[in-house]
Amino acid sequence: MEYENLMEKVNKLERSCKRWQQLTLALFLLFATLALMGAREQNRTTVAVGQLRLLNNKGQLRAVLGLTKKDMTFLALRDSNGVVRSHLHLNEKGAPSLVFNDDKGKKRCLLSLADNNNPTLFFYDDKNKRRLSLTTSPSALICNNHNGKPRAVLGVSKAGAGAFSLEDVHGRPIIYQRLK
């Protein structure tokens, strides 16, 4: 019964990830459209900029759409205190990542599409240690301790076999159950 509840929660988490991906894409397209609309000149020439900075009515920086030093695109959103709370960026191979930061600017959640097009979702504590991971290749839910080391794993192999593992402080499995 607990396994079914856990699988239901994993499925809900996967659906939530999908919704965040769709929302991120919609926001990116919205900002890109607004930038192009605002930059359009009467004679329809191309306007090229290295960065587009959005300021509020007080002159505070709230968002940046631009390029990194390695020529990768990014979108950074700031709160009213100037702290980057979320950013969307592409890595060198073009794979996207969406990061959510807390009110101090520390990374707390990372949703990414790996180079092999497999989505991953990571949750971090306030010391930037990964505490929970959800991956799709292989399908796994991984719970980590305060040092970021895996302690519990629930997964499904590519062949469809389920497995559950609990590990000791040295990372050695103390309980391992493979399901057929």
Side-chain angles (χ1 to χ4, degrees), residues 4 9 28 32-33 35 39 50 55 58 62 68 74 87 98-99 113 133 145 147 153 155 161 163 165 171-173 178:
E4 291 172 0
K9 289 179 182 179
F28 181 78
T33 302
L55 307 176
K58 297 177 184 175
R62 296 303 303 269
T68 66
F74 73 93
H87 58 91
L98 176 61
V99 178
L113 195 59
S133 306
N145 69 2
N147 291 322
V153 178
S165 173
R172 294 182 299 244
R178 185 175 175 168

Side-chain angles (χ1 to χ4, degrees), residues 10-11 24 40 55 75 124 127 139 143 146 168:
V10 169
N11 287 333
T24 301
R40 187 186 314 166
L55 307 176
L75 171 65
Y124 297 85
K127 294 181 177 69
S139 295
C143 300
H146 64 283
D168 66 14

Side-chain angles (χ1 to χ4, degrees), residues 56-82:
N56 67 10
N57 58 1
K58 297 177 184 175
Q60 296 171 312
L61 182 62
R62 296 303 303 269
V64 177
L65 176 62
L67 299 170
T68 66
K69 291 179 182 178
K70 293 184 178 182
D71 201 34
M72 298 294 111
T73 55
F74 73 93
L75 171 65
L77 304 175
R78 297 173 181 262
D79 65 15
S80 60
N81 295 318

Side-chain angles (χ1 to χ4, degrees), residues 18-43:
K18 187 71 169 173
R19 285 191 297 270
W20 278 110
Q21 285 176 324
Q22 292 168 345
L23 176 63
T24 301
L25 178 60
L27 284 172
F28 181 78
L29 292 175
L30 174 67
F31 276 103
T33 302
L34 290 174
L36 292 175
M37 287 171 50
R40 187 186 314 166
E41 294 180 2
Q42 291 296 333
N43 61 4

Side-chain angles (χ1 to χ4, degrees), residues 2-167:
E2 287 182 13
Y3 175 77
E4 291 172 0
N5 288 338
L6 187 56
M7 289 309 296
E8 182 180 325
K9 289 179 182 179
V10 169
N11 287 333
K12 284 181 183 178
L13 190 57
E14 287 176 336
R15 286 191 300 274
S16 176
C17 288
K18 187 71 169 173
R19 285 191 297 270
W20 278 110
Q21 285 176 324
Q22 292 168 345
L23 176 63
T24 301
L25 178 60
L27 284 172
F28 181 78
L29 292 175
L30 174 67
F31 276 103
T33 302
L34 290 174
L36 292 175
M37 287 171 50
R40 187 186 314 166
E41 294 180 2
Q42 291 296 333
N43 61 4
R44 296 185 179 241
T45 58
T46 301
V47 175
V49 295
Q51 270 191 2
L52 175 65
R53 294 172 171 255
L54 298 177
L55 307 176
N56 67 10
N57 58 1
K58 297 177 184 175
Q60 296 171 312
L61 182 62
R62 296 303 303 269
V64 177
L65 176 62
L67 299 170
T68 66
K69 291 179 182 178
K70 293 184 178 182
D71 201 34
M72 298 294 111
T73 55
F74 73 93
L75 171 65
L77 304 175
R78 297 173 181 262
D79 65 15
S80 60
N81 295 318
V83 177
V84 175
R85 295 300 301 267
S86 181
H87 58 91
L88 171 67
H89 62 273
L90 302 178
N91 70 13
E92 290 82 11
K93 295 183 180 180
S97 294
L98 176 61
V99 178
F100 294 99
N101 298 332
D102 64 17
D103 59 354
K104 294 178 179 72
K106 291 184 180 182
K107 176 174 55 179
R108 299 308 293 263
C109 181
L110 167 65
L111 174 63
S112 66
L113 195 59
D115 295 337
N116 59 4
N117 290 325
N118 290 312
T120 56
L121 178 62
F122 303 114
F123 293 93
Y124 297 85
D125 64 15
D126 60 347
K127 294 181 177 69
N128 199 33
K129 297 291 184 182
R130 191 179 298 169
R131 298 304 298 265
L132 184 66
S133 306
L134 181 63
T135 65
T136 59
S137 182
S139 295
L141 176 65
I142 304 164
C143 300
N144 299 335
N145 69 2
H146 64 283
N147 291 322
K149 301 293 182 189
R151 289 296 178 255
V153 178
L154 175 65
V156 178
S157 71
K158 289 183 181 181
F164 176 77
S165 173
L166 291 177
E167 300 176 0

